[in-house]
């Protein structure tokens, strides 16, 4: 839920939403190994995960709930983190090329001062070749 800043007028109608992803960091971490058990998705937990952190930068344009129905824009930066289960033999120093794609954005106004927003990201990590 995003809140309209106090210096902006109330929302009458949402016009557009633009978003971009900025990747901040990646790291491989050790996690408890579940002895080859699978999670609810069917993914075998291995004891290694790639943690990805970033910022979802969003711009929402809306019509104000005022007589002249002026158009306003608000900006929101929302941090996120995600993980990808890796091979159990991956090193903690392994590096990846990461591609992030915005698959879907759903947005609706809840109140004149609050917007519900949900963004679905697709994240792909490709192991970088090691120099030997």
């Amino acid at each position: 839920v995003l809140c309209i800043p106090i210096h902006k007028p109330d929302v009458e109608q949402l016009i557009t939403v633009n978003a971009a992803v900025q990747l901040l960091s990646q790291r491989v971490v050790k996690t408890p190994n579940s002895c080859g058990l699978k999670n609810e998705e069917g993914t075998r937990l291995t004891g290694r995960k790639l943690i990805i952190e970033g910022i979802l930068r969003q711009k929402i344009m809306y019509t104000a709930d005022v007589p002249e129905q002026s158009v306003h824009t608000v900006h929101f930066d929302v941090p996120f983190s995600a993980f990808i289960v890796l091979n159990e033999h991956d090193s903690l120093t392994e590096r990846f090329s990461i591609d992030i794609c915005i698959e879907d954005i759903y947005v609706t106004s809840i109140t004149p001062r609050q917007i519900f927003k949900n963004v679905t990201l697709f994240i792909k990590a490709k192991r970088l070749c090691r120099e030997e």
Side-chain angles (χ1 to χ4, degrees):
V1 174
L2 304 172
C3 296
I4 300 296
I6 194 76
H7 64 278
K8 296 280 189 174
D10 288 354
V11 173
E12 178 182 55
Q13 182 177 356
L14 299 173
I15 300 172
T16 62
V17 179
N18 292 312
V21 177
Q22 178 185 356
L23 179 65
L24 294 179
S25 68
Q26 62 169 289
R27 68 184 181 285
V28 177
V29 298
K30 248 179 149 171
T31 62
N33 189 333
S34 306
C35 302
L37 295 176
K38 292 183 178 182
N39 67 11
E40 293 297 319
E41 276 186 321
T43 303
R44 188 175 65 85
L45 304 178
T46 64
R48 294 282 192 273
K49 288 183 180 174
L50 172 63
I51 306 296
I52 298 160
E53 295 172 328
I55 296 177
L56 185 60
R57 299 194 182 277
Q58 303 154 105
K59 180 172 75 170
I60 299 174
M61 187 180 298
Y62 70 94
T63 305
D65 191 12
V66 294
E68 60 273 8
Q69 295 185 308
S70 53
V71 174
H72 294 265
T73 302
V74 286
H75 298 264
F76 298 99
D77 286 348
V78 178
F80 71 90
S81 66
F83 71 87
I84 297 173
V85 176
L86 298 175
N87 183 303
E88 62 191 305
H89 302 294
D90 281 327
S91 162
L92 295 177
T93 59
E94 197 80 53
R95 300 296 294 168
F96 294 83
S97 170
I98 298 171
D99 292 321
I100 303 175
C101 174
I102 297 173
E103 287 189 314
D104 184 60
I105 300 176
Y106 173 78
V107 60
T108 187
S109 53
I110 300 172
T111 71
R113 305 293 309 164
Q114 293 182 320
I115 298 169
F116 173 80
K117 183 248 346 142
N118 186 63
V119 177
T120 305
L121 299 176
F122 177 80
I123 302 173
K124 179 182 176 182
K126 183 177 178 184
R127 188 173 288 101
L128 293 174
C129 295
R130 296 183 204 135
E131 292 183 22
E132 299 192 27

